[in-house]
Amino acid sequence: MLIDRVEAQKNPTKHTLVALVENKPGVLNRVASLMRRRNFNIESLAVGTTEDPTISRMTFVIDASKTNAALVERNLYKLVNVIDVQDVTDLPTVVRELALIKVRVTDAQHRGEIKQIADMFQSRVVDVAKESVIIEVTGEEQKVDSILNVLQDYGILEVVRTGRIAMTRG
Amino acid sequence: MKLTGAQVIWETILQHGTNVVFGYPGGAILPTYDALVDYQDRVHHVLVRHEENAALAADAYFRATGKVGVCMATSGPGATNLVTGLANAMMDSSAVVAITGQVASHLVGSDAFQETDVTGVTLPITKHNYLVMDVNELPQVMAEAFYIARSGRPGPVLVDICKDVQQKMVDYEPITSVQMRGYRAIKPHGRQNIPTLLQRAKELIDQARRPVILAGQGIKHGNAHEEFRAFVEKSGIPVATTLLGIGVLSEDHPLNLRMMGMHGEAYVNQAIANADLLIALGMRFDDRVTGNLKTYAKNARVIHVDIDAAEINKNVPADVGIVGSVKDILRELTPMIEKRSYPTWMEQINEWRADTKARDVLNVELPDDMLLAPHVMRAIWEETKGECTICTDVGQHQMWETQYFQHTRKNQLITSGGLGTMGFALPAAIGAKFGRPDDEVWAIAGDGGFQMSIPELATVMQENLNIKIAIINNNFLGMVRQWQELMHNHRYSAVEMWTPDFVKLAQAYGMCGMRATNLKEAREVIRRAREHDGPVLIEFVVEKETNVFPMIQPGKSLNEMTRRPIQPAALGGGMEFMKEKAH
C-alpha cells in the first residue's frame, strides 16, 4: 500500500478512473465517441467483463495536466449505459498492467541473460523460439517501462501492453 | 394485449401526451405509417417537406408545450436528414424523440437499399439512441426513450426500428415507470453535501455588494419560474438572461436587465464585468455569453447551479457549484437569504443604462424611403402588444429581435441558440403553432435562412396554419457580412444574396404576401397581417448594411465591447454613421 502511494505521488497528474458500464453492444463506441468529441486525452483504456456478466469494467488513465479528470468523470456519468464512475487516484488501490515483450536472441548466452533479467523482474519467459523469446510481465507501468528499458539493448521485436487496470483495496 | 411494433410506437407516443408528429414516410417506416391510419383520430401527423424541418418543428413543439416533440423519418437519407435538427435539440436541450425506420433486421450490415448506420451517425448529437432489432425490446425502449428525453437535462433520443420489428407482434402493456441501471435524471456528483453548499452560497450572497444573477434556460426546463421570481425579489439582485433564458422573468420587471453576451446591451455586460458575485442558474457559460474566459468577470465569485454536473467548472470555475434542479435548489436557498436591495449598485447600472438608451438607433427618425430592421422588430412588438409567440431564424434579425422586442411571457421567444441553425424560424413556427394553436405565432427570418425553409410554406398551406412570416430582407447574409466588414476589412465574400420576389412566392403557394419598404408601410402591413385570418408572408425591405451593436468580437472581453455609435437626432448624412466603429 505504501508503495502504491509513493507511486501515485511520483505521477501526480495521472488519474485513474474506473467505470462500470452495461455489457451491451456499442457501449465502448459511446465511450470512445464521448472522449473524442470532448477532446479528452486518454492515455490508456482497458475493458473487460466482471463478476456480473451484464456489466463490463473500464479503467481509464488520464493525464490531468491535459484533461480535467473531474469533467471526464461527469461526462461519463451522462452516458445512459454507464452505471458508476469513480476516480480512484487518491484511494488505496492495486494497479497492474500486463505486457508481452518479444525480444531478439542471437545466441545461447543472450538467451541466458534475458532469462536472468526476466527473473529479476519477477516475470516469466512464456515462449522460446530460435531467434526470439517472449516475456510476460505484470506490474505497475513503471515496472514494465523498466524492463523494456533494460531489454532495449537486446532488440525488442514486438510489445503489447494491456493498459492500466485498477481495483481499490479492502 | 397483442400489438404490432408499429402500434406500440403510436401507443407510446399517445401515452406521453403528444398528439402531433412531424414526419415524412418512406419504405422502411411504411408499417408504422400504415398503422397511423388507425390512429389518425387521436394523433395528427404533419407532413413536412424535408425531414430536418420535422426535427426542428418537434424541437419547437417541445419548447412551446413542455411535451416531448416527436419526429419520424424513414431509413437512410430520411434519417440522415434529421441530423441538423437533432444537433439543434442537443445543443438547446430540447426533449425530442426521433423515430426512424431501419432495413429489416436480417439485412442490417449488408448495405441494403437505404441502409445507414443511423445510431452511429447520431451518437454524438443525441442524449441517447437505440437500434431495435427485436420486437420484444420495443415497448421498453420506447418508454425509456421518452423518459430519457424529458428527464434531467432534456435532450433528443433517436429510436431506429427495423422494418420487420414494426410488423411483428408483441405482448404490450403500457409501461408507466422506467427503471434503468445506469441512467439517473440527476447524477450524484462528488458526493456533494447540498446543505453545506447552500450555506456557502448564502455567505457569498451576504457578502456581495455588486451581484448579478445569470439566468438560463434551465429555469424554463425545470418549470422554476415561480421559485426564480421569488428568489429574485427577495434577494434584490438584478438579472441578466442568456438568449435561451429570455422569458424566465418578464422583461418589464425592474430587476430584469435583459440579455447578456455578444449582442447583449452594453449596460448588462458592464454590470457583469464589474460584478463581485455571479449567480448562474441553469446556464452553461457559452462562449457567446462570456467572451474571453481569461478576463471574464475577473473580480466575481461564482455560484453555479445546474442539473448537469458536467457543466460545473467546464468553462468558468465555480466557488460554489451545486448539481440539482434550479427549482429544488431555489426552494431551499430563498428562505435562507435576507431580503435586500442594492441601491448604489442599481444606480450605477442605471447610469450605464441611460448611456445605452441615448445611443439607441430607435432615437433616429427614419426618412420615408428607408426602413431599419430594429424599427421593424419594435413595430411588431408594439402592434402585437407583445401578445404572441415568436420563432426566429439565426443572424442579425435574431439579435435585433432580442433587443427590440420586450418579452413578458415564458417561452415567448423560440430560437436556435447553441447550434445557430439557419432555417429554424419557419419549421419552428409550425411546431409552435401546433403546440399553441390559440396563440398568435410569428416567424421572423432573414432572407438567407428563409430560403433554407421555403418548402415548408407548402406545409403551412396544407395544414392551414395561421402563421405570420416576417422576412427581413437586406439581400445579404447579414451577420456574415457584418463579420466580414468588421473583422475581414470589408472583403465581402459570398454574402450577397439574390432573392426571389417573396410576395409572388407567397402567392405561388396560395398565401397572402405583402411588402414594406418604410416604417409607415411596415406598421400598416403588420396590422393587415394580424387582421387576416390565415397565413401571411411579409417582406420587409431594410437598409442593407446596418450592423448589430453592441458587439463583443470573438475572443474579446466583455469590457472590449464595440458600442453603438451615438445616434444623431436625425439621419442627416445618410447611413454612414451606422457603419463607423465607435467605442
Side-chain angles (χ1 to χ4, degrees), chain A:
Chain A
M1 193 153 117
L2 183 66
I3 295 167
D4 290 315
R5 279 196 188 147
V6 171
E7 293 298 340
Q9 278 160 10
K10 271 192 214 158
N11 285 307
T13 69
K14 302 269 169 161
H15 275 245
T16 307
L17 266 55
V18 173
L20 297 180
V21 305
E22 289 181 279
N23 186 9
K24 284 184 176 170
V27 174
L28 179 59
N29 187 20
R30 288 177 194 279
V31 171
S33 166
L34 167 74
M35 298 299 163
R36 192 177 54 106
R37 75 175 183 266
R38 291 277 174 202
N39 200 22
F40 290 154
N41 200 351
I42 300 299
E43 298 215 331
S44 103
L45 167 59
V47 190
T49 50
T50 63
E51 69 284 0
D52 179 343
T54 66
I55 293 178
S56 294
R57 184 171 168 127
M58 297 183 174
T59 310
F60 301 83
V61 180
I62 291 145
D63 183 345
S65 66
K66 294 177 191 154
T67 299
N68 181 339
L71 273 189
V72 176
E73 182 183 344
R74 293 177 203 159
N75 273 283
L76 280 169
Y77 256 139
K78 287 172 69 161
L79 296 179
V80 168
N81 302 117
V82 172
I83 299 163
D84 186 51
V85 189
Q86 200 177 8
D87 186 336
V88 300
T89 311
D90 295 325
L91 301 174
T93 310
V94 178
V95 174
R96 290 293 178 270
E97 181 174 357
L98 183 141
L100 297 174
I101 308 163
K102 189 182 282 181
V103 189
R104 184 196 304 279
V105 291
T106 46
D107 53 38
Q109 190 196 334
H110 264 165
R111 192 172 284 128
E113 286 174 20
I114 288 165
K115 173 76 169 72
Q116 276 185 346
I117 292 167
D119 288 345
M120 281 188 278
F121 279 93
Q122 288 164 0
S123 51
R124 302 193 295 148
V125 173
V126 291
D127 180 59
V128 177
K130 235 179 186 175
E131 293 181 343
S132 66
V133 295
I134 297 176
I135 295 170
E136 174 202 301
V137 53
T138 61
E140 285 157 15
E141 290 103 307
Q142 290 83 357
K143 178 178 167 185
V144 180
D145 291 344
S146 302
I147 190 169
L148 281 169
N149 198 26
V150 174
L151 292 172
Q152 201 82 54
D153 296 342
Y154 294 90
I156 293 172
L157 299 171
E158 225 180 306
V159 177
V160 56
R161 301 173 69 150
T162 59
R164 188 188 291 185
I165 55 170
M167 189 174 276
T168 53
R169 290 176 184 270

Side-chain angles (χ1 to χ4, degrees), chain B residues 101-158:
Chain B
Q102 182 54 280
V103 300
S105 53
H106 71 275
L107 291 172
V108 168
S110 72
D111 296 329
F113 178 67
Q114 291 195 328
E115 184 191 356
T116 304
D117 172 16
V118 171
T119 39
V121 168
T122 58
L123 197 149
I125 51 160
T126 49
K127 188 171 172 186
H128 193 58
N129 62 20
Y130 296 90
L131 167 61
V132 186
M133 297 175 65
D134 176 354
V135 73
N136 295 306
E137 291 174 6
L138 188 63
Q140 179 69 25
V141 165
M142 286 297 296
E144 288 181 5
F146 276 86
Y147 176 63
I148 292 169
R150 186 67 192 90
S151 58
R153 180 177 181 170
V157 178
L158 179 137

Side-chain angles (χ1 to χ4, degrees), chain B residues 180-222:
Chain B
M180 298 173 70
R181 193 148 56 161
Y183 181 75
R184 272 155 289 171
I186 308 175
K187 292 284 184 182
H189 139 61
R191 324 249 173 287
Q192 62 173 356
N193 184 333
I194 293 206
T196 312
L197 291 171
L198 287 172
Q199 185 57 36
R200 283 173 56 200
K202 174 201 156 35
E203 284 159 17
L204 289 183
I205 293 169
D206 285 346
Q207 291 157 16
R209 301 175 61 179
R210 299 184 310 280
V212 177
I213 293 167
L214 310 179
Q217 191 180 220
I219 297 165
K220 294 182 191 173
H221 285 341

